């Protein structure tokens, strides 16, 4: 696996770019609300962004990807669609925010594709990574918080949440186990950027680990 980290091509002022990753049911949404409170409390200007993020082209693409009727979707098509939605979102929502000095926090980004499409679907992590470098012009986070949760716990949380299932949530436990495996492989390949967070504990326990990482990162 090559997966070497490329320098960002897009030039910018001192600006912190963070992403949050993790399997389904890892508690990303809850954690992001707390991180938002963390930024507000410390008066740190921030932008939290989540593809497709209200960008109409990206919304339309995501509707196709997640539509349960499209059972015939080819995996590479899926990967290309995610990358296309990502690029449009980046151009419209994120790039205009560069130079503002805000912390930019991505709720899922390139790593989601590398793991879900590259590893779990079996296209190849490096292939998907390279394709995403093309889509994002190498615009990557400096810090990634990876919420690591036991797949059974993740599945239970999804069931308890009672939210509407999308095409990917319908996958069984082995799918979720593979997602976790993929993320752990990626974390091993990028130890400087990806910080593992044990997400099996309570909300407070998870948050405390994240605060320690963020304090460290933002002070540096
Ligand atoms: P999302 O709507 O972000 O759900 P969640 O609340 O779990 O973060 O993502 C929906 C699904 O799409 C999720 O199972 C992960 C998957 N996904 C990919 O397979 N590839 C990608 O590039 C992204 C961004 C998400």
């Amino acid at each position: 696996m090559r997966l070497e980290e490329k320098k960002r091509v897009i030039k910018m002022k001192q600006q912190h770019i963070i992403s949050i990753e993790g399997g389904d049911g890892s508690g990303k949404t809850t954690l992001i609300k707390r991180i938002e409170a963390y930024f507000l409390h410390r008066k740190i200007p921030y932008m939290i962004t989540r593809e497709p993020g209200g960008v109409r082209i990206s919304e339309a693409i995501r509707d196709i990807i997640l539509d349960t009727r499209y059972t015939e979707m080819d995996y590479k098509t899926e990967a290309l669609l995610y990358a296309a939605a990502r690029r449009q979102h980046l151009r419209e929502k994120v790039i205009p925010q560069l130079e503002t000095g805000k912390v930019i926090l991505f709720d899922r980004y390139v790593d989601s594709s590398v793991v879900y499409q590259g590893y779990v679907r079996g296209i190849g992590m490096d292939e998907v990574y390279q394709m995403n470098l093309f889509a994002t012009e190498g615009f990557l986070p400096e810090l990634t918080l990876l919420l690591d949760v036991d797949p059974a716990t993740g599945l239970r949380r999804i069931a308890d949440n009672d939210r509407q299932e999308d095409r990917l949530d319908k996958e069984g436990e082995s799918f979720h186990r593979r997602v976790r495996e993929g993320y752990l492989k990626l974390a091993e390949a990028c130890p400087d950027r990806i910080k593992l967070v044990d997400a099996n504990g309570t909300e407070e326990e998870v948050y405390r680990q994240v605060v320690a990482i963020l304090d460290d990162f933002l002070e540096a």
Side-chain angles (χ1 to χ4, degrees), residues 5 45 61 95-96 99 114 130 140 146 153-154 166 176 208 210:
E5 304 275 284
I61 297 171
I95 302 231
E99 306 289 322
V114 171
Q130 295 302 330
L140 294 171
L146 171 54
T153 309
D166 61 35
H176 292 264
R208 247 182 278 134
V210 167

Side-chain angles (χ1 to χ4, degrees), residues 1-216:
M1 192 166 30
R2 277 189 295 142
L3 282 173
E4 68 220 50
E5 304 275 284
K6 295 255 167 75
K7 277 252 154 31
R8 259 199 299 287
V9 177
I10 300 163
K11 292 265 186 307
M12 68 181 98
K13 232 168 53 186
Q14 171 64 7
Q15 187 143 20
H16 292 302
I17 318 286
I18 304 172
S19 67
I20 302 224
E21 295 281 350
D24 303 77
S26 59
K28 271 189 309 98
T29 310
T30 313
L31 177 68
I32 286 170
K33 284 198 196 114
R34 306 237 9 206
I35 295 180
E36 184 159 22
Y38 167 101
F39 288 145
L40 286 170
H41 184 72
R42 286 168 175 73
K43 300 196 167 45
I44 297 170
Y46 69 95
M47 175 202 190
I48 296 177
T49 191
R50 179 172 202 265
E51 300 160 353
V55 171
R56 61 183 188 160
I57 294 172
S58 307
E59 297 277 0
I61 297 171
R62 279 294 282 266
D63 285 347
I64 297 172
I65 300 172
L66 297 177
D67 193 321
T68 46
R69 287 173 307 168
Y70 296 140
T71 50
E72 74 276 31
M73 190 177 293
D74 172 77
Y75 293 157
K76 284 192 178 167
T77 307
E78 183 183 75
L80 288 160
L81 287 175
Y82 270 119
R86 176 162 300 134
R87 174 164 184 85
Q88 191 65 31
H89 170 260
L90 191 67
R91 295 282 347 166
E92 281 191 48
K93 278 282 174 81
V94 181
I95 302 231
Q97 294 294 323
L98 299 181
E99 306 289 322
T100 61
K102 284 182 191 165
V103 174
I104 297 176
L105 183 91
F106 285 94
D107 177 355
R108 290 197 184 282
Y109 193 52
V110 169
D111 295 333
S112 282
S113 283
V114 171
V115 169
Y116 283 81
Q117 282 67 54
Y119 185 73
V120 181
R121 300 300 195 196
I123 298 171
M125 294 174 92
D126 202 51
E127 281 80 350
V128 173
Y129 180 64
Q130 295 302 330
M131 194 261 286
N132 271 274
L133 280 185
F134 168 74
T136 60
E137 292 170 61
F139 186 86
L140 294 171
E142 308 146 282
L143 169 70
T144 297
L145 299 166
L146 171 54
L147 300 189
D148 182 44
V149 73
D150 171 60
T153 309
L155 273 174
R156 196 162 354 100
R157 286 185 186 158
I158 294 171
D160 291 349
N161 249 347
D162 197 31
R163 66 164 207 210
Q164 210 192 342
E165 286 196 338
D166 61 35
R167 196 163 55 83
L168 285 147
D169 287 342
K170 283 197 172 145
E171 309 280 353
E173 189 174 336
S174 71
F175 176 88
H176 292 264
R177 194 167 305 116
R178 298 264 301 153
V179 169
R180 177 164 188 241
E181 251 171 51
Y183 271 125
L184 293 179
K185 268 189 200 301
L186 194 58
E188 222 171 86
C190 314
D192 293 339
R193 172 172 66 87
I194 303 181
K195 303 290 172 219
L196 215 61
V197 176
D198 177 354
N200 293 291
T202 63
E203 193 184 316
E204 197 53 40
E205 284 164 353
V206 176
Y207 179 64
R208 247 182 278 134
Q209 296 172 64
V210 167
V211 166
I213 297 170
L214 285 179
D215 281 349
D216 220 40

